[in-house]
Amino acid sequence: MQLYPSPALVPYILHYLILEDHAAQPSRHRFFPDGHPGMAFHFGDAFLQQDLHCKTPIQHPESFIYGQVNHHFDLISGARIGMLIVVFKSFGLSALMNMPAKLLANQTLALSEVFPRSADQLTDQVLAAPTHQARIHCIEAFLLSQLANHRRDNKLITACTQMIHNAVAPIPVRLLAENLAVTERSLERAFDLHIGISPKLYSRIARLQRYLKLRKASPDMTLTALCYEAGYYDQAHFIKDFGDLTGITPTQYDQSTNRLAINLMQINVPGSI
């Protein structure tokens, strides 16, 4: 279920995502980059997170922040899934922070590590709230107080991300910089500060998300037609890019019938659970 932010937070938040499910046993889910950082609260069983090269999963805190990611990883859910995620716009989380977004890339940090003075109180309020709307009210009060103290000029990064998402085909970083009347280095620094990954990687992730949205909206279109519509040069390039970012094939993605989000889907890994 998706809920939307109040007008004051629309420039920073894409939506709130509520994940709820019950299962007979734990299950494994594949998470892959979507270009959005987030803040999350577990009101069900906390997930275990297992990165690519780590054999031992790490348990999520009750509340945490995650930055941009450049690779896929797995999440192992308990029998009771209950989670509220603040899905920020690509540069939205950095507006709350006193640190470059690049320092949060590929990081999952307890809320108390980032906001030591207020995290415990906020977490208690959110988890004790009787409804999702009440939870969101607590979160928004906190976010608005943070924004009052940490506003940044994000006009350049806003214009650049809009250009990337509106483009029919990928735009080289050189042309992005020329169109925005800045140097390539200035644009890269803006991405380090506000988003946390490079313009090139962000463009790759945006193109994959465009494909997935097209696939959902037009399930009868052929794979080749969808690839070109999403901005890929050919089907082979698309399949390689899809595998690099998700760790699975397009066919495996399509065959999944249990998705918690567009970039979070249950998978079956032999011997994993």
Side-chain angles (χ1 to χ4, degrees), residues 193-269:
L193 178 63
H194 295 283
I195 294 184
I197 54 177
S198 70
K200 183 176 181 180
L201 176 57
Y202 183 83
S203 295
R204 286 179 63 204
I205 294 170
R207 183 170 45 178
L208 174 61
Q209 292 300 311
R210 186 182 304 128
Y211 164 84
L212 294 175
K213 290 172 184 175
L214 285 168
R215 187 63 165 170
K216 183 178 180 180
S218 306
D220 295 330
M221 285 182 68
T222 66
L223 181 64
T224 301
L226 284 167
C227 291
Y228 287 122
E229 185 74 15
Y232 289 94
Y233 297 115
D234 54 48
Q235 187 171 322
H237 181 242
F238 158 72
I239 291 172
K240 182 181 184 307
D241 213 43
F242 194 101
D244 288 345
L245 289 172
T246 70
I248 56 176
T249 66
T251 300
Q252 287 174 311
Y253 183 86
D254 289 340
Q255 289 174 343
S256 170
T257 57
N258 190 353
R259 296 183 198 138
L260 295 176
I262 196 171
N263 65 321
L264 180 60
M265 51 174 284
Q266 187 172 337
I267 60 172
N268 295 317
V269 180

Side-chain angles (χ1 to χ4, degrees), residues 33-37 68-70 88-92 157-166 171 173 176 191 194-210 241 245:
D34 68 347
H36 300 287
Q68 295 279 356
V69 296
N70 60 16
F88 290 101
K89 293 185 177 180
S90 57
F91 48 83
I157 208 71
T158 301
C160 188
T161 54
Q162 286 177 344
M163 194 177 297
I164 288 170
H165 287 284
N166 292 337
I171 306 175
V173 177
L176 285 171
F191 268 75
H194 295 283
I195 294 184
I197 54 177
S198 70
K200 183 176 181 180
L201 176 57
Y202 183 83
S203 295
R204 286 179 63 204
I205 294 170
R207 183 170 45 178
L208 174 61
Q209 292 300 311
R210 186 182 304 128
D241 213 43
L245 289 172

